[in-house]
Amino acid sequence: MKSILYTLKETLLEIFLPPICVICESKEGKMLCETCFGKIKFVDELQKCPKCSLVFYDRVPQKCPDCERLSPKFSKLISIFVYDEYGEKLIRKIKFENKLKVVEEFSNIIRSKLEKIEFDIVVPIPSYTRKWIKKGYIPSLKIARVISENLKKPIVPLIRKSKDIPSQLELSSEERLKNPKNAFEVTVRKINYRRILLVDDVATTTATLCECTRILLEKGADEVFCFSLARTPLKTF
Ligand SMILES: [Zn+2]
Ligand SMILES: [Zn+2]
């Protein structure tokens, strides 16, 4: 009950008060003001792996370490911004401070990047935390909705979690590789869609996306593309 009242209060505040920037709290009428938007590092402006969007900055390795470790079966991972210190701050606002509407500020960029990809449906990766699901608060679903509205593709929740696992963001990189294994299942016996766009908020090692791609292909999908709002860069230290 408390959470419903809280959501109602938040919704009413959104209707009657003009949006405030979630980072600097300026009242420009946007949830992310132009100055704060300008501080974001966009994946497209940096050197990166053409397949998994791992950002290399200046140190371009011969082989992408994430693709080498996981041999992803998805065709391509498309990401918007770098999960650096600033990117993490932004994701924290979106994920933990109930500011899902911030995602809408990226609508134009998301549309222009995904227009080039041929896919039939949008599949969100289920959230890791039961607490959020109870609140109806699932970041990957919000991102999927923005994609669905902008590109006119339906959302089909084809994946559910089959066991409770900790959030990837709380684990070491070695643990992140093993954590998603067998943690998800497809909700139908046979998938009748050809090309799927899998959606998550942050891609760290891509282990979760690889595991979900594996089960979707196993159940009959022809091709899987992935999308994440943020992507971790190659560690340079
Ligand atoms: Zn701002
Ligand atoms: Zn790669």
Side-chain angles (χ1 to χ4, degrees):
M1 191 62 190
K2 202 177 159 194
S3 69
I4 297 170
L5 283 177
Y6 180 78
T7 313
L8 188 68
K9 188 183 131 206
E10 288 284 298
T11 313
L12 287 172
L13 283 176
E14 268 172 24
I15 294 169
F16 293 110
L17 291 175
I20 294 169
C21 175
V22 292
I23 303 279
C24 74
E25 299 185 348
S26 76
K27 299 183 177 94
E28 282 181 28
K30 283 183 173 180
M31 289 199 78
L32 201 56
C33 77
E34 268 175 45
T35 313
C36 293
F37 200 83
K39 289 180 193 164
I40 296 171
K41 283 204 189 77
F42 289 96
V43 168
D44 260 5
E45 293 162 8
L46 297 154
Q47 303 207 64
K48 61 176 191 297
C49 168
K51 187 176 175 92
C52 78
S53 286
L54 181 68
V55 168
F56 299 142
Y57 294 120
D58 300 327
R59 192 167 66 88
V60 181
Q62 285 204 316
K63 280 181 183 161
C64 166
D66 280 2
C67 285
E68 211 182 1
R69 267 191 304 187
L70 290 155
S71 313
K73 299 284 181 293
F74 54 73
S75 299
K76 199 175 165 56
L77 162 61
I78 296 132
S79 303
I80 303 296
F81 59 81
V82 182
Y83 193 70
D84 55 2
E85 207 178 311
Y86 195 73
E88 188 182 345
K89 197 170 165 183
L90 198 53
I91 287 289
R92 286 203 166 272
K93 294 280 173 192
I94 296 170
K95 281 181 88 130
F96 305 111
E97 293 182 30
N98 215 355
K99 304 284 188 225
L100 287 179
K101 264 181 94 67
V102 180
V103 178
E104 292 169 22
E105 302 290 346
F106 295 93
S107 294
N108 290 341
I109 302 176
I110 291 174
R111 193 189 314 117
S112 72
K113 293 203 77 167
L114 292 179
E115 264 170 359
K116 299 162 197 154
I117 302 289
E118 299 257 348
F119 61 96
D120 308 309
I121 55 162
V122 186
V123 176
I125 299 227
S127 170
Y128 286 101
T129 319
R130 272 174 201 279
K131 204 168 65 192
W132 292 346
I133 297 172
K134 265 191 205 154
K135 279 183 164 181
Y137 180 62
I138 308 166
S140 63
L141 182 60
K142 172 66 187 178
I143 300 166
R145 283 201 186 115
V146 170
I147 294 171
S148 171
E149 281 161 23
N150 278 278
L151 290 129
K152 311 285 175 247
K153 307 279 183 190
I155 296 174
V156 185
L158 279 181
I159 294 178
R160 67 172 164 238
K161 271 173 69 186
S162 50
K163 63 178 185 190
D164 246 341
I165 51 172
S167 164
Q168 290 287 82
L169 300 180
E170 292 162 12
L171 301 174
S172 71
S173 64
E174 282 313 305
E175 287 169 325
R176 279 175 188 172
L177 292 177
K178 290 183 220 131
N179 187 41
K181 198 86 191 128
N182 300 319
F184 299 92
E185 59 194 10
V186 174
T187 55
V188 293
R189 240 198 254 158
K190 169 121 184 56
I191 296 171
N192 293 315
Y193 302 95
R194 288 187 46 224
R195 296 156 305 185
I196 291 170
L197 180 73
L198 258 178
V199 174
D200 210 354
D201 44 18
V202 185
T204 50
T205 57
T206 75
T208 303
L209 293 168
C210 285
E211 175 65 3
C212 291
T213 299
R214 182 184 73 77
I215 60 173
L216 288 171
L217 293 172
E218 204 177 83
K219 293 280 178 166
D222 285 344
E223 189 170 20
V224 177
F225 296 96
C226 297
F227 176 88
S228 72
L229 201 55
R231 176 74 171 102
T232 43
L234 182 67
K235 292 271 181 290
T236 45
F237 45 85

